[in-house]
């Protein structure tokens, strides 16, 4: 290649390189394109662009030249295009501010100005660890609004300045933590104010915004709270804790409602909502709004099972549109504490009903009668076992007249059994209608009501179920030991099997075995005179009654040992009452004499008896046709 050829190639190369340099976009143009694309992606996905994301997009690599002051000014201008007058708050250093009173220790982050974690004082988990209501690893609280002309703004992208580094108070003292940020223009301020009282489970929050064009006081621009919280395991038996944990909410002028406790569930909060509660077995986080969270199709309440099986109970999520400001402020209130009826009663508005003491009349019995009796005797300081024993004795004493009536009715049926057997034999192989009429005539002549023995049992059923709800829901039993049970709110294991038996568990609960044994003994005593049922296709009632105590061993093995101890003690007292009634109150010879004497008395049919007779007569006439 000659000299001229080489010179020509060099000139062409220089021209190509020069053209590439000339047509290459400037640093300013590259940053502008990247920021516009990030903003476009944010609007399409309805997710905010955080300062970190923007910096990640436009930040130079280690191989690039560091931006000079002019370039930095350009970059700040691009941030201003995303955050408007809030741009000054996008840079800062995150600090943790401690709020501590007699009942909790919370951390508020200066980045976002919202709660980061909270530990409840005076309580521990079953394994003696601090009782964490929520923490920064699995929970996030955020306030969001749409800034006209700039897009979605997250409080978690903004840095606030606190008025103090910590708040520690006690008793009746009060204090405030104020976190604020200033806008670019004079008089612009966004402020979060936390009001704390020493001896309180509450934390009040007020939000105010002044001087900002577009969202001043958040009256025309709605402010929304997104709160995701994962409840940490606090109790002995995780499956039970999960099955009684859920999200509660209350629409204005309606009864409180809740999501499913046993499966993933969600709902849209379509009406103004007074409060939302993330409720676990014995502890809750509740968010209140005096004006109510505003009904909106984007408001959500969600509860779901977490992926982690051993550490977490439930995932809770609430998306709430906050009400408009009043006097320049949006007022909210939190409750972090135990599910104690006496504590929740002060909030009224059906807040105490997040404790599942049973539906309707059952819950009323537990809240207004049983709980007061139990608390009184427990308050004497003689121990939790004593309180359960006294409560059981009182209940069984109140129910004793019903039990006596039931046994007298059973005794009447028993002494009439020989005559009933004669009737059955007389009409054997004949029309059953005539046999039924003859048996009813016998009952009418002797003054016996076959249903009188059932009614006392029906009256006892609400109490039986009330106890079933009372003991597992009562926080007083939590962590309390009695005899070999180390926690009466959970099962009492006397032996760990080391393996799991389906429908039973991996341990043996002694109170459950004792309850089943006394139930078996009671069944044996009360069914001694029950006739065998050997009719084809009909189950033997005696066999069915003996199967029930065996089923109880499986059903109650993982239940509250306070409940199984109560059932054991209650059945034991029933056995004693049965023996006393049989020995001192039931004389079957006198009962038979009285029934025979009734035959000689003129009879007047009751409406029920007349109806039965009429029905039997109609059946007989239809068969003749």
């Amino acid at each position: 290649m000659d000299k001229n050829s080489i010179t020509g190639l060099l000139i062409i190369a220089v021209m190509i390189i020069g053209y590439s340099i000339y047509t290459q976009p400037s640093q300013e143009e590259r940053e502008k394109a990247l920021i516009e694309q990030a903003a476009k992606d944010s609007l399409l996905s309805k997710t905010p662009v955080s300062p970190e994301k923007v910096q990640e997009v436009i930040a130079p690599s280690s191989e690039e030249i560091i931006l000079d002051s002019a370039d930095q000014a350009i970059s700040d201008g691009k941030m201003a295009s995303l955050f408007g007058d809030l741009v000054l708050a996008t840079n800062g250093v995150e600090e943790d501010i401690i709020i501590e009173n007699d009942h909790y220790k919370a951390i508020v982050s200066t980045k976002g100005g919202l709660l980061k974690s909270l530990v409840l004082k005076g309580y521990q988990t079953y394994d003696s660890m601090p009782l964490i209501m929520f923490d920064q690893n699995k929970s996030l609280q955020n306030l969001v609004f749409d800034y006209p002309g700039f897009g979605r703004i997250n409080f978690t992208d903004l840095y606030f300045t606190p008025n103090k580094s910590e708040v520690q108070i006690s008793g009746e003292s009060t204090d405030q933590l104020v976190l604020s940020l200033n806008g670019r223009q004079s008089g612009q301020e966004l402020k979060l104010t936390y009001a704390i009282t020493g001896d309180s489970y509450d934390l009040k929050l007020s939000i105010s915004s002044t001087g900002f064009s577009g969202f001043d006081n958040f009256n025309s621009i709605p402010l929304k709270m997104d709160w995701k919280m994962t409840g940490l395991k606090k109790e002995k038996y995780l499956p039970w804790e999960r099955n009684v944990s859920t999200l509660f909410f209350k629409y204005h002028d309606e009864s409180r409602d809740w999501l499913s406790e046993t499966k993933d569930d969600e709902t849209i909060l379509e009406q103004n909502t007074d409060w939302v509660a993330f409720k676990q077995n014995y502890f809750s986080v509740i968010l209140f709004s005096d004006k109510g969270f505003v009904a909106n199709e984007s408001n959500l309440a969600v509860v779901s099972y977490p992926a982690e099986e051993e550490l977490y109970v439930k995932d809770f999520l609430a998306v709430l549109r906050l009400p408009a400001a009043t006097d320049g402020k949006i007022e909210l209130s939190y409750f972090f504490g135990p599910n104690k009826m006496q504590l929740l009663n002060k909030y009224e508005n059906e807040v105490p009903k997040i404790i599942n003491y049973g539906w309707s009349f059952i819950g009323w019995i537990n809240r207004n009668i049983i709980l007061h009796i139990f608390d009184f005797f427990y308050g004497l300081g003689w121990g939790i076992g004593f309180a359960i024993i006294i409560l059981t004795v009182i209940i069984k004493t109140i129910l004793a007249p019903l039990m006596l009536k039931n046994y007298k009715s059973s005794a009447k049926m028993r002494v009439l059994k020989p005559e009933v057997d004669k009737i059955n034999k007389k009409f054997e192989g004949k029309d059953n209608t005539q046999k039924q009429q003859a048996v009813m005539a016998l009952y009418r002549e002797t003054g016996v009501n076959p249903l009188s023995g059932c009614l006392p049992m029906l009256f006892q059923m609400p109490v039986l179920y009330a106890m079933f709800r009372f003991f597992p829901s009562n926080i007083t039993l939590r962590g309390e030991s009695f005899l070999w049970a180390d926690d009466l709110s959970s099962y009492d294991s006397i032996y760990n099997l080391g393996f799991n038996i389906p429908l039973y568990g991996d341990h043996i609960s002694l109170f459950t075995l004792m309850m089943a044994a006394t139930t078996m003994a009671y069944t044996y005593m009360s069914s001694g005179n029950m006739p065998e049922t050997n009719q084809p296709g009909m189950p033997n009632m005696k066999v069915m009654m003996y199967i029930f105590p065996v089923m109880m061993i499986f059903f109650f093995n993982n239940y509250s040992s306070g409940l199984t101890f109560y059932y054991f003690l209650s059945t034991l007292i029933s056995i004693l009452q049965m023996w006393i009634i049989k020995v001192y109150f039931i004389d079957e010879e006198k009962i038979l004499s009285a029934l025979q004497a009734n035959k000689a008395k003129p009879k007047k049919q009751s409406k029920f008896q007349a109806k039965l007779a009429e029905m039997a007569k109609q059946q007989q006439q239809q068969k003749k046709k």
Side-chain angles (χ1 to χ4, degrees), residues 142-144 222-227 247 249 269 271 273-278 287-289 292-296 298-301 317-323 332:
N142 188 22
L143 290 170
V144 183
L223 188 61
K224 185 176 292 186
M225 174 175 283
D226 297 343
W227 193 357
L247 187 150
F249 59 93
L269 301 177
Q271 302 181 39
T273 306
D274 293 337
W275 52 263
V276 173
F278 297 163
L287 180 62
F288 301 90
S289 171
F293 301 108
V294 181
N296 189 270
S298 65
N299 288 358
L300 282 176
L317 171 65
V319 179
L320 306 168
R321 182 173 175 177
L322 305 188
L332 302 175

Side-chain angles (χ1 to χ4, degrees), residues 334-544:
Y334 298 91
F335 167 85
F336 314 101
N339 296 330
K340 282 187 175 181
M341 185 62 62
Q342 303 91 328
L343 188 62
L344 297 180
N345 277 338
K346 74 174 185 177
Y347 298 96
E348 300 178 341
N349 202 17
E350 295 204 357
V351 172
K353 289 188 178 181
I354 66 173
I355 305 176
N356 188 4
Y357 277 138
W359 50 267
S360 188
F361 180 64
I362 301 298
W364 186 91
I365 291 176
N366 277 328
R367 287 189 294 270
N368 297 282
I369 299 177
I370 302 298
L371 182 62
H372 293 292
I373 296 174
F374 181 82
D375 286 347
F376 173 79
F377 287 104
Y378 178 71
L380 296 177
W382 294 350
I384 192 78
F386 167 80
I388 296 176
I389 292 171
I390 296 300
L391 176 64
T392 309
V393 171
I394 291 174
I395 291 174
K396 295 302 293 184
T397 302
I398 294 174
L399 296 177
L402 294 176
M403 189 175 187
L404 177 60
K405 185 175 181 62
N406 178 56
Y407 278 105
K408 284 184 176 180
S409 177
S410 298
K412 291 178 181 179
M413 300 292 291
R414 193 161 50 248
V415 298
L416 287 178
K417 185 176 180 298
E419 296 189 45
V420 173
D421 290 342
K422 290 179 181 179
I423 295 174
N424 290 335
K425 187 174 181 180
K426 178 181 178 181
F427 290 95
E428 187 174 0
K430 298 181 180 180
D431 187 4
N432 285 333
T433 302
Q434 292 181 340
K435 180 176 69 175
Q436 293 172 2
Q437 287 178 336
V439 172
M440 292 305 299
L442 174 64
Y443 290 154
R444 186 170 59 253
E445 291 173 358
T446 56
V448 173
N449 185 351
L451 296 180
S452 62
C454 300
L455 294 177
M457 293 301 297
L458 290 177
F459 283 117
Q460 294 182 60
M461 290 302 296
V463 177
L464 186 69
Y465 181 71
M467 296 300 99
F468 179 78
R469 297 288 358 150
F470 175 77
F471 285 104
S473 301
N474 192 345
I475 192 175
T476 305
L477 275 71
R478 184 181 186 271
E480 291 282 357
S481 61
F482 178 65
L483 298 178
W484 56 84
D486 60 349
D487 183 356
L488 287 173
S489 69
S490 188
Y491 60 82
D492 58 307
S493 175
I494 59 168
Y495 184 74
N496 293 322
L497 299 174
F499 56 90
N500 186 70
I501 299 176
L503 303 178
Y504 182 71
D506 59 358
H507 59 274
I508 297 175
S509 298
L510 184 54
F511 278 138
T512 301
L513 294 179
M514 294 168 61
M515 175 189 66
T518 53
T519 303
M520 185 74 76
Y522 179 79
T523 301
Y524 175 79
M525 293 178 63
S526 60
S527 64
N529 295 300
M530 180 177 291
E532 297 285 351
T533 304
N534 297 318
Q535 298 179 22
M538 293 293 292
N540 189 308
M541 290 306 299
K542 278 191 174 181
V543 174
M544 294 296 293

Side-chain angles (χ1 to χ4, degrees), residues 24-63:
Q24 183 177 1
S26 66
Q27 173 71 15
E28 177 183 353
E29 291 171 333
R30 289 198 303 270
E31 292 174 3
K32 180 179 180 180
L34 289 171
I35 292 174
E36 289 176 349
Q37 182 62 41
K40 180 180 180 182
D41 293 341
S42 173
L43 292 174
L44 289 175
S45 61
K46 296 184 179 181
T47 56
V49 182
S50 67
E52 291 83 357
K53 182 63 177 177
V54 175
Q55 291 299 326
E56 178 184 341
V57 171
I58 68 173
S61 67
S62 59
E63 298 177 355

Side-chain angles (χ1 to χ4, degrees), residues 14 17 49 136 146 211-212 242 256 260 364 398 418 448 468 475 477 479 484 516 545 553 560:
V14 169
I17 294 172
V49 182
Q136 58 185 332
D146 292 319
F212 289 97
R242 283 178 171 167
R256 58 91 174 87
S260 173
W364 186 91
I398 294 174
V448 173
F468 179 78
I475 192 175
L477 275 71
W484 56 84
M545 291 178 67
I553 296 176
S560 160

